[in-house]
Amino acid sequence: MSISEPTDVELKILRVLWQQPGATARQIHNAVHANQDKNYSTTVKMLSVMLDKGLVHRNDSVRPQTFTAAVTRRKTQKSLVSKLVERAFDGSASSLVMQALSSGKPSKEDLQEIRDLIEKLEQRE
Amino acid sequence: MSISEPTDVELKILRVLWQQPGATARQIHNAVHANQDKNYSTTVKMLSVMLDKGLVHRNDSVRPQTFTAAVTRRKTQKSLVSKLVERAFDGSASSLVMQALSSGKPSKEDLQEIRDLIEKLEQRE
DNA sequence: CCATACTAGCGAAACCTTTCGCTAAGTCAA
DNA sequence: TTGACTTAGCGAAAGGTTTCGCTAGTATGG
């Protein structure tokens, strides 16, 4: 009974909800389709699909209804990362790390943070 | 005119081709669907779809035809990583790195390699 | 209370990926 | 050359996601 991976649009909606829990369909719609002319009912439909999948919770006791994410940001990120590691990096998380580090432009602070984490990981042995 | 992101099955096929360039449809099929009873024509069809998308090259001058990847492993990985960083980590590559490092189980050698890379990145400033 | 605007729900269309069945073409041993 | 077998090509089915049109319900200002 695992929760399925969020699809593209679903992830966009989740990102809104992580940042703005208890948002209404309208608010979500505006955030996701900022300047595009997508139909509002598309968002409503997606929310109902996501409710069925267990990706969001809905509060019916207020009007308009409000939504919150049913999956945490951390868990979702983790699951997406392991899927990618599995699919494209032959299971090697550190290959992915190398790739991400060299293609992104991490700041000094980022690097320091990563360094600290590595140290902690090395202690763990 | 950018090359589209490989889908799930496409990625499986690419992984075979990266490791075994010039494989035949049959070889690819056997590698991808090792013990599953998927139909061979599925693989053939996927290869034709991928040819249309520009993801593979086909050598018609030999029989049976052979295939090679038209996209490099590195570039594909890079593009998948940036897509994920964009989609789920709000553009922060280092968040992804942190996530990957703490959920995977990197070996001492992995950590050393990453450490070296970080040092190189810090020099670059 | 009524008109207007917004919210909610649903089926189906549109679109994409993956699968397969069927047929044609090519290969090879006898 | 022929029969058996493998490869190649294609349309369409199957399955999933995203989109929309339409209808009904709900709130709200006048």
Side-chain angles (χ1 to χ4, degrees):
Chain A
M1 202 200 293
S2 78
I3 287 176
S4 72
E5 297 277 298
T7 65
D8 231 66
V9 178
E10 286 169 356
L11 198 48
K12 281 186 187 154
I13 289 177
L14 284 177
R15 286 174 62 189
V16 173
L17 290 178
W18 287 327
Q19 204 174 346
Q20 201 181 334
T24 66
R26 174 63 62 185
Q27 289 169 331
I28 294 167
H29 180 69
N30 290 343
V32 169
H33 302 291
N35 34 9
Q36 306 152 67
D37 55 339
K38 287 286 160 61
N39 198 304
Y40 169 65
S41 42
T42 299
T43 302
V44 172
K45 179 61 157 189
M46 284 307 302
L47 285 168
S48 118
V49 168
M50 291 173 75
L51 190 64
D52 289 348
K53 289 189 185 178
L55 290 172
V56 298
H57 293 310
R58 189 178 67 192
N59 183 355
D60 286 336
S61 69
V62 295
R63 287 271 142 167
Q65 304 163 338
T66 59
F67 295 85
T68 51
V71 292
T72 65
R73 188 176 141 101
R74 178 167 300 279
K75 276 190 185 167
T76 305
Q77 287 180 336
K78 183 170 173 177
S79 132
L80 286 169
V81 166
S82 20
K83 191 179 163 200
L84 184 59
V85 164
E86 182 68 34
R87 288 196 334 143
F89 290 86
D90 292 306
S92 160
S94 43
S95 310
L96 177 141
V97 168
M98 300 290 285
Q99 187 63 255
L101 275 183
S102 36
S103 55
K105 318 210 166 4
S107 70
K108 265 196 159 59
E109 291 73 25
D110 290 338
L111 291 176
Q112 187 55 53
E113 207 180 349
I114 294 165
R115 215 200 259 286
D116 291 347
L117 175 60
I118 289 180
E119 217 157 284
K120 225 168 42 180
L121 288 173
E122 283 178 333
Q123 304 276 321
R124 212 181 47 184
E125 303 291 305
Chain B
M1 201 200 292
S2 77
I3 287 176
S4 72
E5 297 278 297
T7 65
D8 231 64
V9 179
E10 286 169 355
L11 200 46
K12 281 186 188 154
I13 290 177
L14 284 177
R15 286 173 63 188
V16 173
L17 290 179
W18 287 327
Q19 204 174 347
Q20 203 181 331
T24 65
R26 175 62 62 185
Q27 290 170 332
I28 295 167
H29 179 69
N30 289 342
V32 169
H33 301 293
N35 35 6
Q36 306 154 65
D37 55 341
K38 287 285 161 62
N39 198 305
Y40 169 65
S41 43
T42 298
T43 302
V44 172
K45 179 61 157 188
M46 284 306 302
L47 285 168
S48 118
V49 168
M50 292 173 76
L51 190 63
D52 288 349
K53 288 190 184 175
L55 289 172
V56 298
H57 292 310
R58 189 177 65 192
N59 183 356
D60 287 335
S61 68
V62 295
R63 286 273 144 163
Q65 304 163 338
T66 59
F67 295 85
T68 51
V71 292
T72 65
R73 188 177 140 103
R74 178 167 299 278
K75 276 190 185 168
T76 304
Q77 287 180 335
K78 184 172 173 177
S79 133
L80 287 169
V81 166
S82 19
K83 191 179 163 201
L84 183 59
V85 165
E86 181 68 34
R87 288 196 333 144
F89 291 87
D90 291 307
S92 160
S94 43
S95 311
L96 178 142
V97 168
M98 301 290 286
Q99 187 62 255
L101 274 184
S102 38
S103 55
K105 316 208 169 6
S107 70
K108 264 195 161 59
E109 292 72 26
D110 289 337
L111 292 177
Q112 187 54 53
E113 208 179 349
I114 293 165
R115 214 200 258 287
D116 291 347
L117 175 60
I118 288 179
E119 217 157 284
K120 227 169 39 182
L121 289 173
E122 282 178 333
Q123 303 276 323
R124 214 180 45 183
E125 304 291 305

